[in-house]
């Protein structure tokens, strides 16, 4: 094995600082919606970096970008690592971007180290930036990796529209990332991410490997009433779509307390039409989510949510209509890669905390392609999707170091390791 | 008195049809937000019409437009009539526009008739188009007439911003209606409007005079929570601004059933931030209204609403903040003008129904300037603020005819009549 530390922390932090220019905000937050001008600039920056490293860059029809270091020859197995450069609106700097930029540092360090030591690599290395992981501008989340993994039809995904009616295909074209080269399936996938939870911090741990992802059911559910004047229209004649939606949101908020087990519910987005102060809303569209580690509980919650929607519609003389459903079952990551993470962390004197993830990661799609894992370092206070999201420089360095060590071991010993 | 009919129905309907071009939609609706390009085109059309009639057009600092027929001499008293050309988003064709265009027909007919009969007019006639009656693009509603009546400071009103941050002053400038001439106070004000309620239709009546306007309290009330990831953030740690807002909206919906008397409540607009599917909302701003014919009930409702907001904030670990309050007390129109309307309707064999208005009209501000009244013809099904809003051609003609007869009488007999 190589010297410790394997990576160059200063170089990692400089690269991360440089990417703040692409959408960073004065309050420390990040506003880099997928396929926006800021995202385009970040992608150009990443592509330029990959090319200076002699990597071959490919872009597929979803704008997923891959840089390949094919130093083990054209027929060598591929270990892929990365995450996503897009952020939530006014979100944080590390969610996603850290996994891509730490992958850059890790791959560069492994390559330089193995060449310096004269070790012949047994795997090629690929760095990926997935499109629209966040699901903020286009729905669903994990859009790019879902198409890559064959879980979603490409034409369907490319036709999804943002709030202004711009399709994914149009947005890809606008920033020059409407590609046509699908990267071949890798043989392993490792994604580094900040934790977005407080488990590591609460337990004083610094490193985790995700073993299970929660299931999630997401609905886009519309209440449809009738637009009318908020003044003269008698209360008993109103068909107020927002009132129906509000009753369902309140009922969803009460469901976790009624559930026998762990259930998370949320409505993150609500579209009200025409949304004018003097007009009874004619339509209100909820983007709602139900999440649980227990599949049976998700099933119960979905049925209960629809029953509550019926009650709200009846009470408000409106009707409801399901416009889109995204169901993701409970799933598990690769125990071989979890063991590798655990071994490498132990070599640094660290215990690896086995974690659940409730948030989605592109690795959830990659489970369907190859052995996959997500590794975590703490986010201070568990914050994610907020401008104050931070990870200490030491932990940022640690995560990249452990990623590099995993890649080194896979390149040195091959995928049977 | 003149021949019946006084007005030319074909000319009225042709003028109304011509104005559909300025924002009319394929479904029969109207989208002419105040100070939009469509509103600018409608104003230009109106100004051109006024000039062909020899009227002097003035525009004040709120964009309120007045065309004056000064045939009784520069010192003659002024009877003002009109309404507003702006509409709700995807609203109806008649709400507002009818009152302006019927005023055009009525004034033209009265002038031509009195000149033909050689009658010397004892009043001048003015036609007005008020800015932002609807309160859709800028708040509050009645913005132009409120400034004219001295109820709102002009600088304050001009600084109000729409959803895109454009101020009233900027929007006025953009369409060339940032004027500087305040029209002198008139001595009477008559506004013709479609009913926006079903009282006339239910009773088989065709004509009404509004005697009382309901009171209204409007709040812009924000719930402030903390933006977070909808996945990993534990339910007990969430500060969900939308959940707080939804609980208040549900409570507001239940208040009319609890009130001892007639109370209307509504939330027409809700702004959610950042409004992204995977993010717990950090802010939700409600535009809520409480309306009643009973001032004591409005006062109760305001106190109760704030108590419910406290309950919702506590339950959701959020806080609420009042950003704007608009209070309008219960008020009464001029009995002299109501009697005039009643007499003229009786001359056509019609009984005048005394009505309340729950909707706001610019005449509510004009009560503070001079004797004022609103007269109504039915809207089919009571529809207002919806593309299907319609009034029968016969009733459109009738309303204009009665307006003309009232103007004739005032011009013939003077304001002591």
């Amino acid at each position: 094995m190589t010297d410790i530390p394997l990576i160059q922390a200063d170089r990692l932090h400089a690269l991360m600082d440089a990417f703040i220019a692409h959408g960073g905000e004065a309050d420390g937050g990040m506003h880099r919606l997928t396929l926006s001008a800021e995202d385009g600039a970040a992608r150009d920056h990443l592509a330029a970096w990959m090319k200076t490293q002699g990597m071959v860059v490919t872009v597929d029809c979803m704008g997923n970008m891959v840089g390949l270091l094919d130093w083990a020859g054209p027929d060598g197995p591929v270990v892929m690592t990365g995450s996503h450069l897009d952020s939530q609106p006014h979100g944080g700097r590390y969610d996603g971007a850290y996994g891509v930029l730490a992958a850059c540092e890790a791959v560069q360090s492994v390559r330089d180290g193995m060449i310096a030591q004269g070790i012949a690599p047994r795997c090629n290395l690929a760095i990926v930036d997935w499109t629209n992981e966040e699901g903020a501008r286009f729905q669903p989340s994990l859009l790019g990796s879902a198409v890559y993994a064959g879980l979603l039809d490409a034409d369907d995904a490319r036709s999804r529209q943002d709030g202004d009616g711009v399709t994914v295909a149009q947005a890809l074209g606008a920033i020059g990332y409407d590609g046509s080269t699908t990267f071949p399936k890798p043989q392993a996938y490792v994604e580094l991410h900040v934790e977005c939870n407080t488990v590591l911090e609460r337990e004083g741990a610094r490193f985790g490997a995700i073993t299970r992802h929660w299931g999630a059911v997401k609905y886009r559910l519309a209440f449809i009433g009738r637009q009318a004047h908020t003044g003269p229209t008698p209360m008993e004649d109103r068909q107020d779509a927002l009132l129906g939606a509000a009753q369902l949101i309140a009922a969803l908020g009460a469901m976790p307390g009624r559930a026998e087990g762990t259930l998370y519910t949320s409505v993150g987005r609500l579209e009200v039409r025409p949304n004018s102060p003097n007009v009874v809303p004619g339509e209100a569209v909820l983007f709602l989510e139900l999440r649980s580690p227990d599949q049976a509980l998700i099933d119960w919650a979905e049925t209960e949510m629809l029953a509550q929607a019926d009650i709200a519609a009846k009470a408000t003389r409106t009707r409801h209509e399901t416009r889109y459903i995204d169901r993701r079952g409970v799933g598990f990551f690769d125990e071989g890669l979890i063991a590798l993470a655990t071994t490498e962390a132990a070599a640094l004197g660290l215990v690896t905390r086995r974690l659940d993830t409730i948030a989605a990661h592109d690795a959830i799609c990659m489970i369907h392609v190859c052995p996959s894992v997500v590794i975590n370092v703490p986010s201070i206070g568990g914050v994610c999707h907020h401008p104050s999201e931070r990870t200490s420089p030491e932990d940022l360095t640690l995560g990249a170091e452990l990623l590099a060590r995993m890649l080194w071991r896979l390149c040195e010993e091959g995928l049977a390791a």
Side-chain angles (χ1 to χ4, degrees), chain A:
Chain A
M1 193 61 198
T2 182
D3 295 334
I4 293 171
L6 184 56
I7 68 152
Q8 296 185 22
D10 289 352
R11 194 169 60 185
L12 168 66
H13 297 148
L15 188 65
M16 292 185 66
D17 286 349
F19 271 70
I20 293 171
H22 312 307
E25 298 188 304
D27 63 357
M30 173 56 65
H31 188 75
R32 189 160 63 213
L33 296 182
T34 196
L35 309 185
S36 64
E38 294 79 11
D39 187 32
R43 287 164 175 266
D44 291 347
H45 192 158
L46 179 64
W49 182 93
M50 287 169 166
K51 286 171 185 165
T52 64
Q53 301 296 318
M55 304 179 84
V56 179
V57 179
T58 58
V59 178
D60 69 15
C61 69
M62 289 304 298
N64 297 314
M65 294 175 65
V66 185
L68 175 66
L69 175 67
D70 59 351
W71 60 342
D75 297 328
V78 172
V79 178
M80 180 183 276
T81 181
S83 189
H84 59 95
L85 288 175
D86 69 321
S87 83
Q88 286 288 335
H90 313 293
R93 290 179 179 172
Y94 301 106
D95 177 349
Y98 173 51
V100 177
L101 302 176
C104 292
E105 174 56 33
V107 168
Q108 187 175 7
S109 298
V110 168
R111 184 197 58 194
D112 293 349
M114 291 187 74
I115 289 172
Q117 295 188 34
I119 301 171
R122 298 172 69 173
C123 297
N124 292 316
L125 293 174
I127 299 170
V128 65
D129 167 32
W130 301 109
T131 296
N132 193 52
E133 191 270 353
E134 292 291 358
R137 181 172 176 191
F138 302 101
Q139 286 78 46
S141 56
L142 312 184
L143 196 72
S145 54
V147 170
Y148 181 78
L151 305 174
L152 186 65
D153 176 71
D155 289 337
D156 178 5
R158 285 168 57 84
S159 70
R160 298 301 170 100
Q161 296 182 358
D162 67 11
D164 296 325
V166 178
T167 65
V168 169
Q170 289 166 339
L172 285 167
I175 60 164
Y177 280 85
D178 192 358
S180 57
T181 308
T182 300
F183 190 78
K185 301 290 181 254
Q187 279 65 49
Y189 179 74
V190 183
E191 181 166 351
L192 171 61
H193 205 281
V194 294
E195 189 196 1
C196 295
N197 204 337
T198 55
V199 177
L200 294 177
E201 190 173 82
R202 276 188 281 115
E203 300 187 2
R206 294 185 63 199
F207 184 67
I210 296 179
T211 61
R212 176 174 68 168
H213 66 81
W214 286 25
V217 172
K218 302 183 182 188
Y219 269 65
R220 196 178 307 172
L221 189 141
F223 278 81
I224 299 149
R226 184 176 167 83
Q227 188 176 321
H229 197 303
T230 56
T233 314
M235 291 304 290
E236 62 271 21
D237 291 345
R238 297 189 187 196
Q239 301 167 270
D240 185 336
L242 176 56
L243 183 57
Q247 291 182 357
L248 178 57
I249 294 169
L252 281 167
M255 274 171 58
R258 298 169 49 221
E260 297 181 0
T262 302
L263 174 70
Y264 287 7
T265 63
S266 62
V267 178
R269 182 173 172 87
L270 180 65
E271 297 172 347
V272 182
R273 296 186 184 92
N275 214 27
S276 186
N278 296 346
V279 183
V280 176
E283 184 175 275
V285 185
L286 297 85
F287 291 60
L288 68 88
E289 301 179 0
L290 310 166
R291 301 184 194 239
S292 175
D294 176 350
Q295 190 61 49
L297 196 52
I298 293 182
D299 296 343
W300 171 81
E302 185 174 355
T303 303
E304 177 63 14
M305 178 276 290
L306 290 170
Q308 294 291 338
D310 287 345
I311 292 169
K314 190 171 179 193
T316 55
R317 292 169 296 277
T318 58
R319 62 188 176 85
H320 66 82
E321 180 179 283
T322 296
R323 301 232 168 124
Y324 180 73
I325 305 175
D326 180 25
R327 292 191 183 91
R328 185 165 67 227
V330 176
F332 298 88
F333 291 102
D334 183 69
E335 284 293 342
L337 289 169
I338 294 166
L340 175 62
T342 305
T343 301
E344 294 304 320
L348 298 183
L350 295 173
V351 174
T352 300
R353 176 65 159 88
R354 292 171 68 92
L355 295 167
D356 276 2
T357 183
I358 310 171
H361 294 298
D362 292 302
I364 290 174
C365 295
M366 290 302 289
I367 286 177
H368 300 268
V369 174
C370 63
S372 298
V373 74
V374 181
I375 56 175
N376 276 176
V377 290
S379 183
I380 296 170
V383 173
C384 257
H385 291 185
H386 188 278
S388 68
E389 176 194 284
R390 286 290 178 278
T391 290
S392 75
E394 296 73 22
D395 284 341
L396 292 171
T397 301
L398 175 68
E401 178 72 16
L402 282 163
L403 175 61
R405 293 180 71 99
M406 290 175 71
L407 298 180
W408 182 292
R409 186 64 61 94
L410 290 166
C411 285
E412 191 175 30
E413 302 184 2
L415 285 171

